[in-house]
Amino acid sequence: MPTRTDNRPHTVALRHVLGGLRAGGPLELMERAGRQSQGALTRLDLGAFRPFLVTHPDHLRHVLRDHGANYRRGTAMWKAMGRLTGLGIAGEGPQWRASRDLWCKGLAGGAHAFADGTAAAVADAVAELEARVAAGATVDAVTEMTRIVLRVVNPVFFGSRIPQRECDRLAAAVAVAFDSLLWRMALPFVPLAVPLPGDRAFARATRTVNGILLPLIRRARHARHSGPDLMSALLDGADADGRALSDAQVAQDIVALFVAGSESSALTLTWTWVALAEHPGLAAEVRREADAVLGGGPPRPGHARNLELTRRVLAEVCRLYTMAWAVPRAAAAEDVIDGVAIPAGATLVLSPYLTHRLPAFWEQPLRFDPGRFTEERVRGRHPLAYLPFGDGPHQCVGQSFFFQQAALVVAAMTSRFRIAVPTRAEPRAAVALRPRGRVDLVLSPRR
Ligand code: HEM
């Protein structure tokens, strides 16, 4: 770790910050700051707002594990998001803990009970795509990956209570609401009474979300049909005070489920096609693995653990195309990290995206190399050098579910289609790491 004895953080000056923002937006700013700081604790000078940028694995261990209780979700981003996702799973404190317990129970139960259904849903969604598109057709990657993911998660998340068409409408409205929060996240000091861009879209989208979800939740309560799915766990569960969750709380957690569970998976799958198209030799190996494991038939739950190369490819996609490019936290009390004083109330921006690019921990960090994820190489690495799913108390609860379903999707798609990505796709930092513009997939059926 770079040693600092002067108790001052490395600083990225305002003119560099503005230069980065002008040149390529927040991601360019982060990349410039990452290149300058090389893992040192860094203060970004944004004028009145001066967050600390945290990327070194030792510093991440301090913030997320050793002093996790001091670094909380109190920042502008989480407050703005709270308008959509409430104060349960996306919050802090006892309500978050109660919600997290329900999520873990519901997800484990749902993923286990619907394992066959998940694999069948992948097979159906891919077969439906094959039937719909003509040979050599071009499709929009994000739209198609979202469609497949939503079919796969519906039973596990909702016990298939939400008709597929409504599920698609709901996901679209949640995505609009989420994206329209960007200005509120960027300008947290502007009162709600003062209109900002995105406000109207947010209001319209939340009306759509509630219009779909609230009647559905009421019907589900009335039907009293409980299952092993996540929505049943929420409907049957209690909050931190032992009271049943209100309809509004259940609705907010379900919205959080869409944000956390489906968008990130669909985008990561999209980046997987981009990465494979850039590495045709690797794509051929992935195809051979799919053929060997699936044997020309539909995917089954047991296949996922045998798709070893595919899982390593997904892990490498998560490293280079890190969804959570910035994870903010607020310091509850003052602290010292590696000799640098952190005042109470300071904002810390953790950036797994930059950590995954530190040359001290990753040889040739920009090279796409799934070989980094063999057991031996994982064992030899700093445990906090890789954290696409976060770490500490808020670590992602959906990581293994993601790998399970995504490996089956990649195998089912590659065993049915040859997939080309005709134009170069560049990442853009929205709340998640999205492609700049549309990513086309050209699909040529293999049989
Ligand atoms: C590629 C896929 C995914 C990525 C990259 C991802 C990433 C992350 C990250 C970085 C966090 C930590 C946020 C923080 O520290 O504040 C997180 C939390 C979370 N994720 Fe995921 N996730 C993915 C898929 C999923 C799926 C499929 C589910 C649900 C089934 C899910 C549910 C959650 C939940 C509930 C949390 C919040 C946990 C808490 O605050 O206690 N995620 N995820």
Side-chain angles (χ1 to χ4, degrees), residues 73 78 89 96 100 103 107 157 257 260-261 264-265 268 318 323-324 327 329 387-391 393-399 401-402 405:
R73 290 172 168 166
W78 292 109
I89 190 65
W96 156 74
R100 184 175 167 101
W103 273 62
L107 194 57
F157 288 4
L257 197 50
S264 45
S265 301
T268 304
C318 289
M323 275 309 109
V327 179
R329 291 285 191 269
L387 68 163
F389 297 90
D391 199 280
H394 288 289
Q395 184 163 25
C396 182
V397 300
Q399 178 171 351
F401 179 68
F402 163 75
Q405 53 152 331

Side-chain angles (χ1 to χ4, degrees), residues 146-372:
T146 305
R147 194 169 280 156
I148 291 177
V149 166
L150 289 177
R151 266 147 197 74
V152 174
V153 299
N154 198 343
V156 180
F157 288 4
F158 309 118
S160 300
R161 288 182 187 85
I162 306 190
Q164 202 56 54
R165 236 192 24 251
E166 292 289 272
C167 201
D168 294 345
R169 259 185 77 216
L170 194 53
V174 169
V176 170
F178 196 46
D179 266 5
S180 40
L181 278 174
L182 267 178
W183 281 94
R184 290 274 161 211
M185 290 179 185
L187 304 172
F189 40 82
V190 176
L192 289 181
V194 178
L196 281 181
D199 281 358
R200 281 211 193 142
F202 179 80
R204 261 197 314 272
T206 27
R207 270 199 302 277
T208 307
V209 168
N210 289 332
I212 298 173
L213 277 181
L214 291 175
L216 195 106
I217 291 167
R218 278 183 218 119
R219 274 202 304 279
R221 279 201 203 281
H222 189 68
R224 288 175 185 276
H225 165 73
S226 189
D229 57 280
L230 191 40
M231 189 169 167
S232 294
L234 296 173
L235 288 168
D236 299 343
D239 67 11
D241 306 318
R243 284 190 300 255
L245 301 189
S246 68
D247 289 359
Q249 280 173 309
V250 173
Q252 285 171 331
D253 259 15
I254 289 177
V255 170
L257 197 50
F258 272 98
V259 173
S262 54
E263 198 193 28
S264 45
S265 301
L267 289 172
T268 304
L269 280 165
T270 298
W271 289 120
T272 304
W273 302 124
V274 171
L276 287 176
E278 285 171 4
H279 300 87
L282 184 61
E285 279 181 61
V286 166
R287 202 161 45 235
R288 275 196 293 279
E289 181 176 79
D291 291 348
V293 174
L294 271 56
R300 287 198 303 276
H303 288 152
R305 74 173 159 272
N306 297 328
L307 293 163
E308 286 176 19
L309 173 63
T310 306
R311 294 170 78 103
R312 288 203 295 273
V313 165
L314 289 165
E316 179 70 338
V317 170
C318 289
R319 182 182 74 85
L320 274 179
Y321 301 91
T322 315
M323 275 309 109
W325 61 280
V327 179
R329 291 285 191 269
E334 63 181 17
D335 192 11
V336 177
I337 303 179
D338 198 14
V340 175
I342 308 290
T347 295
L348 281 73
V349 178
L350 321 186
S351 178
Y353 179 90
L354 291 182
T355 306
H356 296 164
R357 284 166 168 70
L358 285 176
F361 296 88
W362 301 95
E363 204 186 316
Q364 292 187 275
L366 297 184
R367 199 162 72 89
F368 189 86
D369 174 14
R372 302 179 198 271

